[in-house]
Amino acid sequence: RKESSAASDVYKRQSQRKKKWGISRWNELIYKMAKDSPRYKFHIVGGPEDVAEATRMVNSPALSQYKDRVINHVGSYSIADTYQLLMNSRLFIGHDSMVSHLASETLTPSLIISLGTVKPFETSPYNDLAITIAPGNNCFPCKVERTCDLLPCHNSINHQVVGTIATALLENKEISQSFLQEKISPLHLDSVKIYKSKYTENGIDLEQISNNYLSSEEVFKNFYKIIWLYFLRGVESNSQLPSISKETAGHLSQYTAGVNYLFELYNFGVTYSNRILDGAKSDEINFQDVQDNINKLGEIDSLCNLTKKNYPLLQGLVDFFYVNKANASGNTLVEVTQNNLLNYYDASNLIAVVNDFIEKSINPHLAAAREPNKEIQHGNN
């Protein structure tokens, strides 16, 4: 138990370090904003574990000329005190933490900096007055147990980007794609992903406004959002085809093999389930034949599990239908198998939809790749 507790403490410290932007960056941001916005004060809040860092921050020589405008409440403010402070604040800037969720309760405009293990689409505050900045690194978000000394995601978000957006929010300016392109250099913009929160008929969503190409993970996230909303709630969600790079299109095209293989496996599941039902309902049951087909379903589970390891972005769909099958209701073999049959039908239909999404997303890139060959052929003719 002591070893387990020690390991947990190490992971917690690693996670906290990954999520915190760092004293020097906060000092740079406060200095820039204090200089550009002389009528505002800056209140720092945090828990008891943040006292040492906050003290170093407010006592930094870089902020000496603005010391009367930087007020440190870290370790002394209760949740109620912080709530009241946010009620009277023009803007909250900070990590995706408890304070950001308090800011959503007080309807305070917020600028959220997501780093390390944070997953913005899962944990961003429920506030349509929020802008979220996340690093564009391929390793983001990272896992808690993964050590990282250099923290490259921290370097991707610089104080110029945060300060520019924060100042605009204080001035009640609209943060849009055109604003970002006009006010932030392409070099800085290429290293981050900026999201704007908005309410939809299905809840709150994060809309990317930084005009970056979507990664394969983000593309699949959009795919899953559409199919699960329809499958679980019967809600149709309209979405444009994702804007992807040539490299992402190439990566997605590799997934067509895994998707087609899963489609075949799920259809085999339909076949073997029907055979079990036919055998169980016959006047003279061939128990060995029924058992053989049940074993075949077990083999399909194993092959699906292997497929998701080779194609990790398919894991969400594979895991869902595996658990759904394992929890099939029924008191008899026939009842359980009938539910499994429906499960395999649903799985094959949804994986077919994913295949359609992938093909439509990569087709423009495939067409562009073929176009030069057409021109060369035309020239030869």
Side-chain angles (χ1 to χ4, degrees), residues 164-359:
T164 299
I165 296 176
T167 301
L169 289 172
L170 288 172
E171 297 173 353
N172 296 318
K173 292 183 179 179
E174 178 72 16
I175 308 300
S176 62
Q177 189 175 109
S178 58
F179 170 86
L180 297 177
Q181 292 174 343
E182 178 184 351
K183 299 296 184 180
I184 300 175
S185 74
L187 180 63
H188 290 160
L189 205 56
D190 285 345
S191 65
V192 296
K193 293 184 179 180
I194 302 173
Y195 303 95
K196 187 175 185 178
S197 298
K198 67 172 183 177
Y199 286 116
T200 69
E201 63 275 13
N202 301 312
I204 201 163
D205 199 3
L206 298 185
E207 176 187 12
Q208 184 171 321
I209 58 175
S210 50
N211 199 31
N212 303 87
Y213 285 126
L214 298 183
S215 66
S216 299
E217 290 78 9
E218 291 170 324
V219 170
F220 261 85
K221 179 187 68 65
N222 290 338
F223 290 167
Y224 281 137
K225 176 184 174 182
I226 295 170
I227 65 174
W228 293 130
L229 276 174
Y230 185 78
F231 180 74
L232 298 174
R233 299 186 186 177
V235 175
E236 293 187 11
S237 176
N238 296 321
S239 180
Q240 296 180 343
L241 289 176
S243 175
I244 58 177
S245 65
K246 180 180 177 181
E247 289 73 22
T248 299
H251 186 232
L252 290 176
S253 67
Q254 297 174 12
Y255 267 77
T256 56
V259 168
N260 290 331
Y261 187 53
L262 278 182
F263 181 77
E264 292 180 1
L265 290 175
Y266 289 139
N267 276 287
F268 278 129
V270 170
T271 299
Y272 294 131
S273 295
N274 277 320
R275 288 181 182 177
I276 294 171
L277 289 173
D278 291 341
K281 293 177 180 179
S282 65
D283 296 333
E284 296 183 3
I285 301 177
N286 186 332
F287 291 100
Q288 184 58 52
D289 187 53
V290 171
Q291 185 60 53
D292 288 342
N293 286 304
I294 292 175
N295 293 339
K296 290 291 186 182
L297 295 183
E299 293 176 11
I300 289 174
D301 290 340
S302 298
L303 291 172
C304 287
N305 186 58
L306 182 62
T307 304
K308 78 175 184 181
K309 291 180 180 179
N310 294 328
Y311 301 92
L313 295 179
L314 299 176
Q315 180 175 347
L317 190 142
V318 173
D319 285 349
F320 176 86
F321 285 107
Y322 176 80
V323 173
N324 213 32
K325 173 177 173 291
N327 293 327
S329 60
N331 296 318
T332 66
L333 175 63
V334 171
E335 291 176 351
V336 172
T337 304
Q338 285 174 336
N339 286 316
N340 283 338
L341 176 62
L342 294 176
N343 187 65
Y344 283 120
Y345 269 127
D346 290 336
S348 63
N349 286 333
L350 287 197
I351 201 66
V353 172
V354 171
N355 182 69
D356 191 47
F357 284 163
I358 292 176
E359 287 187 351

